[in-house]
Amino acid sequence: MAGRNHIATTNACKLCTPLGATLAFRGIEGAVPFLHGSQGCATYMRRYVISHYREPMDIASSALGEKHAIHGGGPNLKKGLLNVMKKYHPRLVGVATTCLTETIGDDVGRILREFRNEFGDLDLPDIVHVSTPSFAGTHMDGWYDAVRAVTEQLVESTPGAMSGVISGAPHEAAPGAAASGPATAGATVSGTTPGAISGTTPGTTSGTVSTGLPATVSTGRTCLLPGLLSPADIRHLRDVMEAFGLAPVILPDISETLDAPCLEAYAPIPAGGTPLDDIRALGRARAVVEMGDPLGSRPSAGAALHARHGVPLFRVGVPVGLRETDTFMEALERISGTAMPPRMMLERGRLVDALVDGHKYVAGKRAVVYGDADMVTGLCAMLAETGIRPVLVATGARGCGLAARVAAVCGGLMPDLPEVREGVDFHEIAERAGTLAPDLLVGNSKGYRYARAWGIPLVRTGFPVHDRFGGQRLLHVGYTGALALYDRIVNALIERHQTASPVGYGYM
């Protein structure tokens, strides 16, 4: 694979950048995603999103044509915004650029300033814009860039918010080890706690925990930046934080907007999403918890809230599996000053019990894991805990430090670290995976053709899931999500063995 003369991408292991931005904007109350580009971009993304979430998805477009590629798309963008205001009456319009407008060099910021000056007599919605060229990233870049743009363009400054914040760079825990000791302002809780899996509960068992947070101007709310997880994941994370007595502001919150109940009449803008007033007040938040490693070396939304407003930052991995969830729980203990609730201890104990019960079915199995770098890292952490060996870990993203992240979560639990590939497509993944004799694939539905060809199960995770029902309700995170995912993995392997048996059996 390394020596291949790569001509073109074949079945990309990523999606286009503005698609991620439209999903992020959909998670804001009263928002309409708006693509500044050709009509085809919006049509493609609507179909793609609807296929996974089974929800209607309106995406506005400036509908540029050939002449706009020469003369610029400013007039169409302004006209499109007026049309959106007339049809939807949105509270926010999220404008994302596309390859076309990035290539011709439209200055969207200037066009929007002109728009506000020209139509300032109207009741204008908030307008957030973000640069999302598909030739320079993935859908995850679009998601994270959109969330950062929202925090930079909407969060109100708070006089005195920086008081009590320790100067200097945030503390970073050593790779592969959870941060220890009391949290400090801007502290980053990262990595995992490797070692043997046991039934003990992490953290203090007393009723209170010292937070170590500064006495800043605070709303008492805690901001959660979860990344692109399922609506079911978002609902579960909210439930977990509330169990600690925290009042979360989840940005963005797609738990209702992309998994809504059945209504008698179509709602062009679905109910739910992060309230704009809560977003504006994030500069006074108690803390911000940011999941994954968004944007690599570029500033993230969490980093922006910390740097601009002094909000203490806790960065954790996507809490998939036992150890990554332990780290998330530790962060919540520090923020809330409360020990892990008994309900969470029971959930953790059930997960550990299941890992013991299912070990004989999964130990030594070989897995190929692919998808978004943040989700892939969490999946690798969990698989390593179960005794399954990830042998190939792949993502379509580049420059995301995936090898180091996988080493941090798998080190000490496997005899050899898995092979890690960035910037690959499914042709390259299949070319290499076919030589590694995997027992299962773990990732989105785009890998199904290879699982079928090799006669092995595909455990569907993340986004997109187009060939199964209920992708928006797949639960990955927390102890409960890990247990549900582990059940699916174990049963997929049992079913393969049962199906291949020459005599068949109905009892184990």
Side-chain angles (χ1 to χ4, degrees):
M1 183 169 70
R4 178 188 175 208
N5 183 15
H6 193 80
I7 303 300
T9 297
T10 305
N11 194 9
C13 188
K14 60 180 180 178
L15 304 172
C16 69
T17 314
L19 188 151
T22 63
L23 290 174
F25 288 134
R26 178 53 91 194
I28 298 175
E29 183 184 55
V32 171
F34 189 113
L35 291 182
H36 184 35
S38 67
Q39 183 65 46
C41 291
T43 302
Y44 153 72
M45 291 180 204
R46 288 179 64 246
R47 184 208 66 79
Y48 217 87
V49 171
I50 291 170
S51 178
H52 175 89
Y53 292 100
R54 313 287 174 165
E55 294 288 349
M57 178 75 172
D58 284 11
I59 302 175
S61 172
S62 54
L64 304 188
E66 291 85 348
K67 67 178 183 179
H68 306 107
I70 299 173
H71 301 292
N76 266 43
L77 176 54
K78 297 174 184 178
K79 185 184 298 183
L81 289 171
L82 292 173
N83 288 337
V84 166
M85 290 169 55
K86 181 179 180 180
K87 180 176 181 179
Y88 294 94
H89 306 288
R91 297 192 62 192
L92 179 139
V93 178
V95 178
T97 59
T98 61
C99 294
L100 173 59
T101 47
E102 289 286 345
T103 300
I104 65 177
D106 266 3
D107 187 343
V108 175
R110 175 186 58 79
I111 296 170
L112 293 179
R113 287 192 294 271
E114 292 177 356
F115 178 80
R116 294 185 182 98
N117 291 333
E118 293 172 14
F119 301 100
D121 57 325
L122 302 178
D123 184 15
L124 299 178
D126 287 305
I127 304 175
V128 173
H129 68 280
V130 58
S131 173
T132 52
S134 281
F135 51 74
T138 73
H139 61 294
M140 293 307 300
D141 292 299
W143 172 284
Y144 287 127
D145 281 334
V147 176
R148 184 186 64 190
V150 168
T151 60
E152 291 178 343
Q153 298 173 38
L154 292 184
V155 176
E156 298 171 348
S157 59
T158 305
M162 295 298 291
S163 62
V165 176
I166 297 176
S167 61
H171 172 70
E172 187 80 16
S180 60
T184 57
T188 302
V189 180
S190 65
T192 58
T193 307
I197 297 173
S198 67
T200 59
T201 302
T204 178
T205 57
S206 62
T208 60
V209 180
S210 175
T211 67
L213 297 177
T216 59
V217 178
S218 172
T219 63
R221 308 292 296 273
T222 300
C223 177
L224 175 65
L225 305 174
L228 180 52
L229 300 175
S230 74
D233 287 330
I234 301 300
R235 288 191 289 268
H236 182 63
L237 292 173
R238 179 186 298 279
D239 183 50
V240 169
M241 295 182 72
E242 289 176 346
F244 277 88
L246 299 171
V249 176
I250 301 175
L251 179 65
D253 183 357
I254 61 171
S255 62
E256 294 182 32
T257 59
L258 287 174
D259 190 19
C262 184
L263 303 174
E264 291 185 0
Y266 171 63
I269 300 179
T274 313
L276 286 173
D277 289 342
D278 288 350
I279 295 174
R280 293 190 180 97
L282 285 180
R284 303 188 300 276
R286 178 182 180 87
V288 55
V289 180
E290 187 166 49
M291 292 183 171
D293 187 20
L295 306 180
S297 61
R298 290 147 51 205
S300 65
L305 287 172
H306 172 65
R308 294 186 175 205
H309 306 282
V311 181
L313 171 61
F314 293 77
R315 182 167 288 146
V316 300
V318 176
V320 179
L322 183 72
R323 296 167 302 148
E324 295 293 271
T325 302
D326 285 350
T327 303
F328 176 52
M329 295 295 176
E330 180 185 357
L332 297 184
E333 285 184 333
R334 296 179 181 184
I335 295 168
S336 67
T338 303
M340 185 190 298
R343 177 165 66 90
M344 303 300 164
M345 296 181 185
L346 289 174
E347 291 177 1
R348 187 180 191 276
R350 293 189 193 102
L351 173 59
V352 173
D353 183 66
L355 294 178
V356 174
D357 291 343
H359 186 260
K360 60 184 177 182
Y361 301 111
V362 302
K365 299 298 184 182
R366 299 161 64 84
V368 172
V369 188
Y370 59 88
D372 308 333
D374 289 338
M375 178 60 75
V376 160
T377 302
L379 292 170
C380 286
M382 177 181 170
L383 292 174
E385 293 165 354
T386 68
I388 296 175
R389 293 182 54 190
V391 292
L392 177 63
V393 181
T395 182
R398 298 180 185 273
C400 56
L402 184 59
R405 295 161 66 178
V406 170
V409 298
C410 292
L413 297 182
M414 296 171 53
D416 300 297
L417 290 176
E419 182 178 339
V420 178
R421 298 281 182 171
E422 292 186 10
V424 292
D425 60 23
F426 276 100
H427 180 89
E428 295 168 294
I429 294 172
E431 191 175 56
R432 180 60 178 141
T435 68
L436 297 174
D439 296 294
L440 76 160
L441 299 183
V442 183
N444 58 55
S445 62
K446 296 184 73 174
Y448 169 68
R449 60 183 293 185
Y450 308 106
R452 178 176 177 176
W454 299 330
I456 62 176
L458 166 62
V459 178
R460 291 162 179 82
T461 60
F463 173 83
V465 176
H466 293 317
D467 62 341
R468 288 293 184 274
F469 183 74
Q472 73 275 38
R473 290 182 291 275
L474 288 178
L475 187 61
H476 309 83
V477 300
Y479 302 126
T480 299
L483 182 56
L485 180 56
Y486 186 59
D487 285 346
R488 291 201 289 131
I489 291 172
V490 173
N491 285 328
L493 291 169
I494 290 175
E495 183 178 6
R496 182 199 182 198
H497 189 271
Q498 186 179 28
T499 303
S501 172
V503 294
Y505 55 89
Y507 182 82
M508 295 187 300

